[in-house]
Amino acid sequence: MVTHRARVLAALRGEPVDRLPYVPRLDLWYLANSTSGTLPKQHASRAMNEIARAEGWAFHHRFADNQLDPAYYPQYLHRGINVFYSRDTVFDVVLPPDVEVKVHRSGARTRVEYHTPIGMVSTTTHYDADSQRHGITIPALVEHLIKTPADYAAAGYLFEHMDVVPNFERFVRWASEGMGEDGVAVCIGSLDASPFHLMQRDLCDATQFFIHYKDHHDKMRGLAERIAPLFDKELSILARSPADVVWWGANFDDMITFAPYFEAEIQPWIRKAAQLLGAAGKRVLCHTDGENRGLMDLLRDCGMHIAESICPAPMTKVGLHEYYQRWSGHLTLFGGIPSTVVMPGTSEADFEAYLDELFRAVAPGARMVVGIADEVPPSAVFSRLQRIGERIEREGALPLRAGDFRPVTPAPSAAAGRPAAPAEVAGDGVFEAVRRDVFKGKHVDIHAHVRELLDAGVPAAQILERGLIHAITIVGDRMASGEAFIPEVLLAARAMAAAVDDLSPLLAASGERQRGRVLIGTVTGDMHDIGKNLVVTMLRGVGFEVRDLGINVSRERFYEEIARFRPDVLALSSLLTTTMMEMPAIIAGVQERRQGERCKVIVGGAPVSEQFAAQIGADGYAANAVEAVRLVKRLVAGHAAVLPA
């Protein structure tokens, strides 16, 4: 009998197998439901791996533990510098002996200070019962190591003088005793694929990273060079380790890790890892769970052996058939079932239809491991996980036959390359200079051009409407069409904000009114904010008064701020399937308090869809920042409430 381990490992290596392997990743689902006491009745007393065994499923990742147990504090103490220890790691990081570490704990917050001989840098993480209830397994960063350009020197000293030493024992024990023949133990080499990726994911605020990449590139490059030897040591240990599969890099996305940046700063390190570890008989796995339309060729050709957590349409723009056709000749695909498909918001008919499509889309089925992308969410319908297993058992014998299946896939967008410069806008020549400053992100030059217009007698309101808002709308449209990336939008928004600061006193003195009020925040349990920040910036740029509550916002905080701020629109953001179910709870609370009579509620974020928004009673859904601005304009324009002065 072929074991799960043998079948999965063969598929990951590109070798023939008898049928499709099925590996649902249960970490988040198990942690959330075991914490809440909502595990399926038949599995109520079982550990996560025992549930997988009882259902006949393979597994490949770490087991979920009670992260609130103080015994786990040391494991994630240095999470802010991407240092953590768990069953699936094979080396320990040794901090420099001349760096004093000071730890301050206050409730759910842990602040760690690193006092180097040339200065102090610090991080703060957050983890609480709500985090665990949402299935989150790693503390969230709320203060990053690098906050200003002055922090690069101390950060460089810290990383340059770190060391790594092998520690194979815990991994061997987990792989043999905890997993055995029931799956393939994936070793976490690094969640960050390169030194620049480390800065982007962990060391800098997500939004600030792009500002620094533009304004302080030399400092970033210097820090990357000081981090590189540590990465090389890690790869050397990974090559000697007992692991068959090594995770190297996570969370790529064609807007965040946009194509030119990915090609320059990330792809070379994935290729290096694949070559070094491949020569040692290891397979390199990358966690490719994002929107990959603009990265399809770069990811395929980067050298990785396994693309894990493939998340196709309807959650992203790339269909599963296109993924398989373009990638399966080069690497193994792992995933293929978007997490929303197993959630209650998807009907049974649509769920079954998706499975029908899956079997056709990945024919003949070689180099494919079926899994839930990104992971099984806490609110997953458990019977659907079972149904997937049943259908694979019955219909998953290889080779699969696709029949006449010919799905229509979207044409490749221009996002795969660097977009051309924005076309000049015809007419309104007097505003060309400030528009060009917005297009090119010239936040310093725009002050002089605004002053020139004011000195020429152009009203501040016209500069705002016909110059700045006109330009940022074009930039936003280019982002929506895939012709511009988030960094370009952020830099354009920064230039616009600089100009608005100059105009604000004049607009206020002339009695110009705000378009309306918007209250916005990322729901509790979710620490992501780059998309929300874009929405905030663009709404402010077009004249709305915005109160940003930040990340991890509780239901009660939303209700309190609605009563205090009296917004026309409440905007809720969620990037995780683990937290998106907070949205219907918040909307229900708004209605119970009769706050919805004045305040419209809109939702957005990667796992959210228009269908989901309608199901939970939201007043609207926006797929991106541009659509959010248009939606808010429509809602406010049609609202019966009197706009605030």
Side-chain angles (χ1 to χ4, degrees):
M1 179 181 175
V2 179
T3 65
H4 284 312
R5 172 179 163 76
R7 181 178 292 114
V8 174
L9 193 56
L12 296 182
R13 289 172 172 166
E15 300 167 356
V17 294
D18 57 338
R19 64 177 171 84
L20 286 173
Y22 175 43
V23 190
R25 183 176 161 190
L26 299 175
D27 297 55
L28 302 191
W29 171 86
Y30 179 80
L31 185 60
N33 286 280
S34 60
T35 300
S36 302
T38 52
L39 288 171
K41 189 175 181 179
Q42 68 272 32
H43 297 306
S45 62
R46 287 176 170 152
M48 187 185 79
N49 54 324
E50 294 171 348
I51 295 174
R53 287 192 178 100
E55 295 290 343
W57 304 333
F59 43 94
H60 75 293
H61 206 19
R62 70 173 72 113
F63 305 144
D65 297 303
N66 176 14
Q67 304 293 313
L68 297 172
D69 186 334
Y72 288 93
Y73 287 166
Q75 182 170 310
Y76 293 110
L77 180 63
H78 301 292
R79 180 264 183 273
I81 55 174
N82 193 38
V83 173
F84 57 88
Y85 308 103
S86 58
R87 300 174 179 90
D88 44 11
T89 55
V90 295
F91 52 74
D92 294 338
V93 176
V94 181
L95 296 179
D98 58 350
V99 172
E100 182 183 8
V101 177
K102 296 182 179 180
V103 180
H104 309 275
R105 295 191 186 279
S106 177
R109 299 288 171 101
T110 301
R111 175 179 166 86
V112 183
E113 298 176 354
Y114 302 93
H115 294 261
T116 79
I118 59 173
M120 188 274 286
V121 283
S122 62
T123 69
T124 301
T125 57
H126 177 99
Y127 195 87
D128 59 13
D130 271 343
S131 303
Q132 184 151 304
R133 181 172 59 84
H134 286 105
I136 296 169
T137 58
I138 298 178
L141 273 167
V142 293
E143 178 203 358
H144 292 78
L145 191 78
I146 296 173
K147 293 169 276 294
T148 72
D151 294 324
Y152 281 95
Y157 186 95
L158 178 64
F159 280 96
E160 186 175 18
H161 294 86
M162 283 183 191
D163 198 6
V164 283
V165 295
N167 186 341
F168 299 155
E169 181 183 353
R170 61 175 172 252
F171 179 84
V172 170
R173 185 168 59 250
W174 170 60
S176 60
E177 299 175 8
M179 185 169 293
E181 291 299 311
D182 293 308
V184 175
V186 174
C187 166
I188 299 293
S190 176
L191 300 180
D192 306 308
S194 71
F196 265 93
H197 199 210
L198 169 64
M199 285 183 254
Q200 182 180 24
R201 289 187 76 257
D202 294 310
L203 304 188
C204 296
D205 169 78
T207 303
Q208 198 66 21
F209 170 82
F210 294 113
I211 303 298
H212 283 211
Y213 193 71
K214 170 73 172 178
D215 294 350
H216 309 292
H217 194 269
D218 289 347
K219 290 184 181 293
M220 279 191 160
R221 181 66 61 192
L223 177 56
E225 291 172 356
R226 300 176 84 173
I227 294 171
L230 188 69
F231 273 52
D232 285 329
K233 289 181 180 180
E234 291 174 359
L235 286 172
S236 177
I237 293 173
L238 289 164
R240 306 194 308 270
S241 77
D244 294 303
V245 179
V246 175
W247 178 324
W248 190 263
N251 309 129
F252 308 126
D253 182 279
D254 65 11
M255 279 289 165
I256 306 297
T257 55
F258 59 103
Y261 164 73
F262 182 90
E263 186 173 18
E265 312 295 3
I266 297 178
Q267 190 185 54
W269 273 93
I270 298 177
R271 186 170 288 122
K272 175 192 278 194
Q275 290 172 348
L276 178 64
L277 299 179
K282 321 292 183 188
R283 301 287 91 182
V284 168
L285 175 152
C286 292
H287 187 72
T288 54
D289 61 331
E291 178 59 72
N292 293 320
R293 165 62 67 198
L295 297 173
M296 289 295 285
D297 292 344
L298 289 173
L299 286 168
R300 180 195 63 198
D301 300 334
C302 71
M304 66 171 161
H305 307 110
I306 305 156
E308 189 256 357
S309 275
I310 292 292
C311 185
M315 281 186 69
T316 65
K317 298 174 184 175
V318 184
L320 182 56
H321 176 263
E322 183 178 358
Y323 266 125
Y324 192 77
Q325 291 299 307
R326 294 180 66 177
W327 284 11
S328 63
H330 300 77
L331 48 80
T332 296
L333 284 73
F334 193 151
I337 301 180
S339 54
T340 52
V341 171
V342 298
M343 293 174 67
T346 298
S347 70
E348 286 294 330
D350 288 344
F351 166 71
E352 292 291 347
Y354 189 88
L355 294 188
D356 293 341
E357 178 179 322
L358 182 145
F359 287 111
R360 295 190 293 263
V362 303
R367 306 195 74 160
M368 180 72 200
V369 177
V370 178
I372 313 298
D374 171 28
E375 303 186 43
V376 177
S379 60
V381 180
F382 191 75
S383 61
R384 292 186 181 177
L385 305 181
Q386 296 172 311
R387 177 67 173 157
I388 297 168
E390 292 167 0
R391 289 198 58 174
I392 287 177
E393 185 71 31
R394 187 177 71 244
E395 305 168 50
L398 301 186
L400 300 173
R401 303 189 183 280
D404 295 327
F405 181 62
R406 295 290 184 272
V408 177
T409 54
S413 77
R418 186 182 296 275
E424 293 297 337
V425 181
D428 288 341
V430 70
F431 300 108
E432 284 185 6
V434 293
R435 288 174 178 174
R436 190 181 303 110
D437 289 337
V438 173
F439 291 149
K440 296 183 177 181
K442 293 182 176 293
H443 67 292
V444 175
D445 295 354
I446 201 167
H447 292 294
H449 292 139
V450 168
R451 176 47 53 190
E452 288 173 3
L453 290 173
L454 292 172
D455 290 345
V458 179
Q462 287 190 24
I463 299 172
L464 175 66
E465 291 287 343
R466 297 169 63 186
L468 304 178
I469 292 177
H470 185 101
I472 201 68
T473 300
I474 291 175
V475 173
D477 287 342
R478 286 167 49 78
M479 184 186 77
S481 67
E483 298 175 81
F485 307 116
I486 281 181
E488 294 170 284
V489 181
L490 288 172
L491 294 172
R494 179 174 64 163
M496 180 174 178
V500 170
D501 284 345
D502 293 341
L503 297 175
S504 291
L506 298 172
L507 293 170
S510 65
E512 290 290 328
R513 297 191 305 170
Q514 295 281 349
R515 292 176 181 263
R517 290 182 171 183
V518 180
L519 181 67
I520 188 170
T522 304
V523 301
T524 187
D526 202 318
M527 302 293 176
H528 296 87
D529 66 358
I530 189 167
K532 173 187 65 64
N533 292 348
L534 266 179
V535 174
V536 169
T537 300
M538 294 192 71
L539 283 172
R540 285 174 175 160
V542 299
F544 286 94
E545 182 181 356
V546 182
R547 180 169 295 182
D548 181 7
L549 300 182
I551 58 177
N552 192 35
V553 182
S554 69
R555 300 173 195 176
E556 289 302 323
R557 177 83 188 284
F558 278 119
Y559 305 145
E560 291 168 1
E561 291 296 332
I562 290 172
R564 184 178 296 116
F565 185 55
R566 295 182 58 78
D568 299 284
V569 175
L570 169 64
L572 304 176
S573 173
S574 169
L575 192 72
L576 305 172
T577 54
T578 57
T579 60
M580 64 189 289
M581 296 311 293
E582 280 292 304
M583 291 178 169
I586 293 168
I587 291 173
V590 167
Q591 299 304 325
E592 288 171 7
R593 290 162 176 78
R594 301 181 66 82
Q595 294 175 321
E597 295 176 1
R598 184 184 195 279
C599 175
K600 301 294 185 181
V601 183
I602 65 173
V603 296
V608 182
S609 66
E610 190 166 4
Q611 179 186 29
F612 177 75
Q615 289 171 342
I616 65 175
D619 295 295
Y621 156 77
N624 54 57
V626 179
E627 290 302 317
V629 172
R630 290 173 178 160
L631 175 60
V632 170
K633 284 182 177 179
R634 288 198 302 271
L635 290 174
V636 170
H639 204 266
V642 177
L643 296 180

